[in-house]
Amino acid sequence: MSAIGTVIGLYVTSAKGQPMLGVQSVRAVANRGLVGDRYYLGTGFYSNIPGWGANVTLIQSEALAAINVGYEASFTGAMLRRNIITANLDLETLIGREFRCGDALLRGLRRFPPCTHLAHLLGRPEVLKYFAHCGGIGAAIVSDGEIEVTDRIELLDSPAH
């Protein structure tokens, strides 16, 4: 197991369209989501939609910073409605692999670019273009655990060949 990144922000919201709230720690529940978050509660925009398939979303702080500098913008992970903001980690390396995030075990599923629902909420259609290739990933929670800001993210398995 090797440390490959750090959690630098955690966000949840209880219902679709409501502002994301920053928290210092949150309980991750297998196959369900983060306690208090809209998808854990079944109140999210994509709740109960087959194929949506992620319990939690992650985005790289470096991608946010690059977009903000490149486009003179001020996007945040909370604005993009991502649950976990990471540092020093290429999230795409987690797709198809298990990793520990704090005490929770997660599995990277697929890229999660912004959707038109988000663009509508923000009133910023350019978000679709800006974050098309760096909007983060979705992950499944494999086993319960606590996640805290400053926790390490550690890769548990080797890439599939």
Side-chain angles (χ1 to χ4, degrees):
M1 183 165 40
S2 60
I4 57 170
T6 306
V7 174
I8 64 166
L10 289 170
Y11 296 91
V12 296
T13 186
S14 61
K16 64 182 173 187
Q18 296 301 307
M20 299 288 281
L21 305 172
V23 295
Q24 274 302 116
S25 67
V26 67
R27 182 92 180 142
V29 178
N31 302 311
R32 187 135 177 226
L34 302 178
V35 172
D37 190 56
R38 66 217 184 269
Y39 294 109
Y40 173 87
L41 298 167
T43 59
F45 185 78
Y46 291 102
S47 289
N48 306 312
I49 294 179
W52 188 77
N55 303 134
V56 64
T57 54
L58 301 89
I59 193 166
Q60 295 170 214
S61 60
E62 295 86 355
L64 287 166
I67 294 296
N68 287 337
V69 167
Y71 292 102
E72 296 181 1
S74 57
F75 291 103
T76 66
M79 286 173 69
L80 295 178
R81 306 191 68 74
R82 298 301 184 235
N83 299 113
I84 301 172
I85 315 305
T86 67
N88 305 315
L89 173 60
D90 177 359
L91 290 174
E92 291 199 16
T93 64
L94 302 179
I95 294 173
R97 300 172 76 183
E98 290 191 351
F99 59 98
R100 189 157 302 286
C101 186
D103 294 330
L105 180 62
L106 283 69
R107 181 169 195 70
L109 298 175
R110 63 180 174 86
R111 293 172 66 190
F112 262 64
C115 63
T116 55
H117 174 66
L118 175 66
H120 175 74
L121 280 177
L122 293 175
R124 309 262 319 254
E126 68 272 20
V127 75
L128 299 173
K129 176 178 76 167
Y130 293 173
F131 290 96
H133 301 289
C134 61
I137 68 167
I141 300 171
V142 177
S143 68
D144 298 6
E146 195 74 18
I147 302 172
E148 297 182 23
V149 173
T150 74
D151 275 346
R152 293 175 7 168
I153 299 170
E154 300 174 316
L155 192 56
L156 297 180
D157 63 355
S158 301
H161 290 29

